[in-house]
Amino acid sequence: MVIADRLKALRKQKNMSQADIEKRTGLLRCYISRVENGYTVPAIETLEKMARAMEVPIYTLFCDSEQRPKILNPRFNCKGWGTSGRDARMLNKFRRLLSRTKEGDVKLLLFIAQKMSQRKKVLRKKR
């Protein structure tokens, strides 16, 4: 199902008008109409606002089932490495610590790792 159709169906299911969504989100009604008719692709922040306005979890905008989808660990998912032994224990500890870390700090850590990997590539090319 297209996100536009899903938004419209949820709004109608909740017996809400576009004006109701406008009041609750601060988005213009003409913008809400454009989103619902598929002329505009909303940002994730906009989808969060609309889900909050309709008092539904955001995942309901993306799936038809009533069951909450299984959540994978999106922050760190390596295939092959860390599947067993000492590496697996270290990877699990790293995942656990990252899940408790503030979003800004995670972004900083990933930025530093990215810069370090770029530097390593530059050093390899110089050799």
Side-chain angles (χ1 to χ4, degrees):
M1 179 180 272
V2 179
I3 193 76
D5 297 332
R6 187 73 180 141
L7 284 166
K8 187 182 251 182
L10 279 170
R11 180 179 57 77
K12 288 183 177 184
Q13 181 183 348
K14 296 282 187 175
N15 294 321
M16 297 176 78
S17 66
Q18 289 180 347
D20 295 330
I21 302 295
E22 178 183 33
K23 288 175 192 170
R24 291 179 175 209
T25 62
L27 300 169
L28 295 175
R29 190 165 56 195
C30 61
Y31 177 77
I32 295 165
S33 174
R34 291 184 58 76
V35 169
E36 286 185 355
N37 290 305
Y39 294 110
T40 302
V41 178
I44 192 71
E45 292 84 10
T46 303
L47 292 174
E48 287 175 329
K49 285 181 183 180
M50 294 177 94
R52 241 181 280 122
M54 292 185 277
E55 298 174 345
V56 295
I58 193 165
Y59 71 82
T60 58
L61 301 179
F62 301 101
C63 58
D64 292 329
S65 78
E66 294 296 319
Q67 240 178 359
R68 185 181 181 109
K70 182 181 175 188
I71 297 176
L72 302 174
N73 189 341
R75 289 191 178 182
F76 202 80
N77 191 4
C78 295
K79 295 188 180 201
W81 182 84
T83 55
S84 65
R86 196 172 101 193
D87 290 339
R89 287 189 299 274
M90 183 180 75
L91 184 58
N92 283 332
K93 185 176 182 179
F94 190 60
R95 285 179 178 156
R96 210 171 40 253
L97 292 171
L98 269 180
S99 70
R100 289 187 253 156
T101 305
K102 293 178 186 173
E103 187 68 29
D105 293 340
V106 171
K107 287 181 182 179
L108 178 62
L109 286 171
L110 293 174
F111 176 77
I112 291 169
Q114 180 184 21
K115 290 299 179 184
M116 288 172 68
S117 70
Q118 288 172 351
R119 184 167 184 244
K120 193 173 186 178
K121 288 176 190 175
V122 170
L123 291 176
R124 282 186 193 160
K125 288 179 183 178
K126 287 184 180 179
R127 290 182 189 174

